Amino acid sequence: MNYTVKFQTEPEYKNIRYGGNSIYNSACGPASLCNALKALGIADISIPTMCNLAVSCGARVEGGTDEAVLLRSAASKYGFEWRSTSKNAELLSHLKAGGAAILHAGSTYKLFSNSGHFVAAVAASGQTITVLDSYWYSGKYTASSIRRNYVSVVSKGVVKTSLTQCGKATIDRSPSYYLISKPAPAKKTEPKKEETELVEKTKFEIGGEKFTLDAITKNGTTYVCLKQYNNVLGLDTGYDAATDTRAVNFDQLNIAVNGTEHTVPGLIAGKGHSYASVPDLLKLTGCTVGWNDGSIVVTSSEGDV
């Protein structure tokens, strides 16, 4: 894969300040983040722009860049996820999964620099890591035996080395690695399926007469169609839109009258029809309910309704 590397060592950056120094000398932290985001296809940010962000968020500190502070601010601005680790196995797994990482090289093992330095790791094949180095100059990776023996130059700014060498180069930094990835895709939320109820023709015996009314049986309770039940008893049914309550008028016994509500278990089913719990509904109308020869028998306190 071909990589487009952004270099802090462009001649014009010698005269552009980054905190108390120049981008040329001190901006490996912002530059490595630019290269990681570019490689992942998340954002194409210029090094001066990232340096300005580092200064504004307080990531520019004496001696360099606080990469964690910069990452927190940049993640919010550009939309990516990140975490830190010092484990080689986690770095390797992350790169093989398609992520990128910023390696925080120290000064003990001078693989990427003679002092502290940030570089971007963008791929892994087997135990071999592809690294983008923003601080580039001619002969850098032939300047010492360590670099000659353990680093191979692919092209300007692109080198390969082993996972073991990455671990050695970052051994005196904690955390050693900042793992960067694209945001996880949002989980699709399945639309909630509306609960459906089976409406059955149910026999009622009211006042000695038999009727067949629509009813629903759920969790052992029978719910009768309020409109049909009221028609049988000669009651008036109304709907109070302000309180979203079905109102049943029967002398002084009501489910809702002038804003005074009696709570009756029920549900809305079919074409907006209200179904009320038979035992609770009959209790409000001074009736009791029984069962006789396959029919629900409704009886008032003064005899059959």
Side-chain angles (χ1 to χ4, degrees), residues 15-176:
N15 299 316
I16 300 179
R17 305 302 295 173
Y18 174 47
N21 208 318
S22 66
I23 288 179
Y24 190 101
N25 290 324
S26 303
C28 58
S32 63
L33 180 53
C34 289
N35 284 326
L37 296 183
K38 174 71 173 176
L40 288 174
I42 293 174
D44 187 354
I45 313 301
S46 71
I47 295 177
T49 297
M50 192 65 78
C51 287
N52 288 338
L53 178 61
V55 171
S56 66
C57 73
R60 179 61 167 124
V61 295
E62 184 178 354
T65 303
D66 187 327
E67 201 72 8
V69 173
L70 176 57
L71 283 164
R72 279 194 292 271
S73 182
S76 175
K77 184 176 180 66
Y78 299 115
F80 61 88
E81 297 177 353
W82 71 278
R83 62 186 178 89
S84 61
T85 184
S86 293
K87 296 181 179 180
N88 284 0
E90 289 187 21
L91 170 65
L92 185 64
S93 176
H94 179 74
L95 293 174
K96 287 187 174 182
I102 295 174
L103 314 186
H104 192 183
S107 55
T108 300
Y109 191 77
K110 298 175 173 55
L111 185 70
F112 298 114
S113 177
N114 292 327
S115 58
H117 188 39
F118 291 105
V119 294
V122 293
S125 177
Q127 296 286 309
T128 301
I129 310 300
T130 299
V131 174
L132 309 184
D133 188 352
S134 66
Y135 194 84
W136 193 263
Y137 56 87
S138 179
K140 177 175 183 176
Y141 284 98
T142 58
S144 69
S145 59
I146 291 176
R147 296 176 191 173
R148 289 193 299 270
N149 292 334
Y150 298 112
V151 178
S152 62
V153 176
V154 178
S155 59
K156 182 180 178 181
V158 183
V159 300
K160 290 186 178 183
T161 190
S162 70
L163 179 66
T164 299
Q165 290 297 308
C166 290
K168 288 183 176 181
T170 59
I171 192 67
D172 55 342
R173 292 291 188 265
S174 181
S176 300

Side-chain angles (χ1 to χ4, degrees), residues 207 250-251 253 282 285-288 298-305:
F250 177 62
D251 292 336
L253 299 175
L282 297 181
T285 57
C287 300
T288 58
V298 177
T299 307
S300 73
S301 58
E302 298 178 354
D304 290 346
V305 175

